[in-house]
Amino acid sequence: MNKRELVDAIADRVGDRKTGTEAVNAVIEAIQKAVAAGDKVSITGFGAFEMVHKPARTARNPSTGAEINVAESWAPKFRPGSDFKDLVNEGGKKIGKKK
């Protein structure tokens, strides 16, 4: 599912596409701003978004084997909640049985 499909799914529930688009954009923007500011965003039953620090390190170029210095960085991280994990696990079991 991409963003357009998500907007369509929300629009079916709220009544129109314009409201669905505004709702999806508002949620995404609020999560992005909070995480970028260093806050953790927890949605009960869904999961948590947070910012993690990746320290500087030395890596290797897989083609040449040469060492590469990788600068420190910050990255967003998502950890799914237990309800979400359970739902995905049940879906995986259903898909696995079809094969």
Side-chain angles (χ1 to χ4, degrees):
M1 175 181 277
N2 60 30
K3 186 175 177 181
R4 178 179 295 146
E5 293 166 339
L6 179 60
V7 167
D8 290 341
I10 300 299
D12 289 344
R13 298 218 24 204
V14 298
D16 64 288
R17 186 165 171 74
K18 182 179 178 185
T19 305
T21 302
E22 289 174 8
V24 169
N25 288 338
V27 169
I28 291 171
E29 184 179 313
I31 292 171
Q32 287 175 333
K33 284 183 177 181
V35 172
D39 294 335
K40 180 178 178 180
V41 178
S42 296
I43 303 171
T44 305
F46 182 66
F49 298 89
E50 60 189 324
M51 181 172 31
V52 294
H53 179 250
K54 295 184 174 186
R57 63 186 174 87
T58 302
R60 292 212 175 266
N61 180 331
S63 300
T64 64
E67 287 189 356
I68 301 171
N69 292 323
V70 179
E72 74 171 342
S73 63
W74 293 87
K77 179 181 178 182
F78 174 73
R79 287 183 301 138
S82 60
D83 291 347
F84 189 18
K85 287 180 189 177
D86 293 343
L87 186 62
V88 170
N89 190 36
E90 287 303 312
K93 288 178 182 177
K94 291 176 185 175
I95 292 171
K97 290 180 180 178
K98 291 181 180 179
K99 291 183 177 178

